[in-house]
Amino acid sequence: MLIARPSVPDRWIVLAVVFGFTFVLPTLGTGALYWFGQLDSLLLRERAQRPLPLLLATFSFGLAATILAQQLVFDRLLGQLIVGMVLAVFLTFVISLSWKISAHGVGVGGAAGLIALLYLTSAQPIELLWWLVGTIIIAGAVLTARLELEAHTSAQVWAGLALGVGVVLGMGLGLQLG
């Protein structure tokens, strides 16, 4: 799978849009929800506290995808990744309406799934082997930390991991078929 790289000035646009819309805006929005009394804590430990920040993140990630698609500065893989992130956060939002799935699990599952997909489709997979091993170790550490902090049950972290991996593999299959 060949990945096109945008020119250096365009890379800064991509980085700024992704950082702004997937980190800064959701962080500020969640802070504002806390400031205005919509959230009891920024930790979002209770399932009932999660829907508004997750919905905000879904819209924010969607705006990033829309802006980047209009700029035409990235290849199809990056477009699929951003759309996959929107889908993963939206599904986390929907599931969180009735059950507390691990959003951290979804995130590391997506990262592990992406590296695994790149590894499996690479002409030279040995170059990605250590990235895959490292990502799996990090995913294990994150899931273990969520369990040790008693933020989630085993089912919640495994479901999050499965959702993240599943969305990436589904998007990857769509990219291959499309």
Side-chain angles (χ1 to χ4, degrees), residues 66-164:
T66 303
I67 290 168
L68 290 175
Q70 290 174 350
Q71 296 297 318
L72 300 173
V73 296
F74 61 97
D75 73 347
R76 196 164 158 210
L77 177 62
L78 182 57
Q80 291 286 99
L81 289 173
I82 299 290
V83 170
M85 289 169 56
V86 174
L87 179 60
V89 174
F90 177 72
L91 290 173
T92 304
F93 159 72
V94 170
I95 293 167
S96 290
L97 292 174
S98 60
W99 191 61
K100 188 180 172 191
I101 191 169
S102 172
H104 286 86
V106 175
V108 297
L114 173 63
I115 300 299
L117 185 65
L118 292 173
Y119 175 79
L120 294 170
T121 60
S122 175
Q124 298 174 331
I126 197 70
E127 294 176 3
L128 292 169
L129 180 61
W130 290 112
W131 284 100
L132 180 59
V133 169
T135 304
I136 291 170
I137 291 169
I138 290 170
V142 169
L143 298 182
T144 300
R146 302 308 291 161
L147 292 170
E148 288 296 318
L149 291 170
E150 298 181 355
H152 293 286
T153 65
S154 292
Q156 292 166 341
V157 296
W158 284 111
L161 183 74
L163 177 61

